[in-house]
Amino acid sequence: MEVTFLGTGTSMGIPMIGCRCDTCTSSDPRNNRLRTSVWIQKKKKNIIVDTGIDFRQQALRYAIPTLDAVLFTHHHVDHIFGLDELRPIHFLQNKTVKVFGTSETREHLLRVYPYVFEAGNCPSDVPKIEYHTFSNEPFIFIDIKIIPIPLFHGNLPIMGFRLDNFAYCTDVSRIPRSSYSLLENLDVLVLGALRDSPHPTHFTLSEAVDEAQKIAARRTYFVHMSHELSHQEMLNRLPAQMEPAFDGLKITL
Ligand SMILES: [Zn+2]
Ligand SMILES: [Zn+2]
Ligand SMILES: [Zn+2]
């Protein structure tokens, strides 16, 4: 399994429009962060977690050849506003992308993208998706087992995902007790860490480090960082088995 980080930034992206802070004006490319998403290649299938605002740019930059499935963590704009960019998969490849999300995410997608769920549209106009609703139970995509990990993003229940010994948990501010057993014995944990000052719907970096220590994956990568956290500064502060992810980072499991 290969995982490529397509984006590692918070909802506004880094640099942030109009900001002149050290991170936003940094010449270190690792401080340039598109909206958080990962591309998983497994058993010759291409799966992405979330279609964020930057999906088109990410697909071109990292040469994503096609898509077989999308896993949605939740319905926030920075995680769903690239769904329309799946149109070329339909238009050029006449392919249906399987989309997996909760019933709540489906409701919000229906509201934002009603035309995607209507039949009979011209292939150039709509992405062709097949929506599959999951709840807390593991599900199978072809022959790939995907374990949803219930999480809280403020009061909003959202999902993380586990595939083999890889788990992806972005936009989280609380891990329910029952989810820790789903995060045992991980080779890689990807965990959201927004900034240093407290936030109602995201872990701070120190909260994320505490959680990562509790979960004790062999390696933890942080994502969804704001401009308050620069890459090098995070590297300097983090324990040896933890590091910030950056756009384009590729890991093989
Ligand atoms: Zn987000
Ligand atoms: Zn800034
Ligand atoms: Zn969110």
Side-chain angles (χ1 to χ4, degrees), residues 14-16 18-25 226-228:
I14 316 296
M16 218 165 87
C19 187
R20 302 298 304 158
C21 80
D22 287 348
T23 310
C24 289
T25 56
S226 92
H227 64 163
E228 289 177 34

Side-chain angles (χ1 to χ4, degrees), residues 8-16 19-26 30-33 193-200 202-206 223-235 237 244:
T8 55
T10 188
S11 56
M12 286 185 245
I14 316 296
M16 218 165 87
C19 187
R20 302 298 304 158
C21 80
D22 287 348
T23 310
C24 289
T25 56
S26 162
R30 298 170 304 177
N31 284 327
N32 213 304
R33 304 177 183 132
L194 185 71
R195 61 187 193 192
D196 283 327
S197 47
H199 189 280
H202 292 272
F203 281 145
T204 62
L205 182 58
S206 72
V223 294
H224 213 289
M225 284 86 67
S226 92
H227 64 163
E228 289 177 34
L229 297 172
S230 87
H231 190 90
Q232 191 56 51
E233 187 203 330
M234 284 178 81
L235 276 179
R237 285 165 55 186

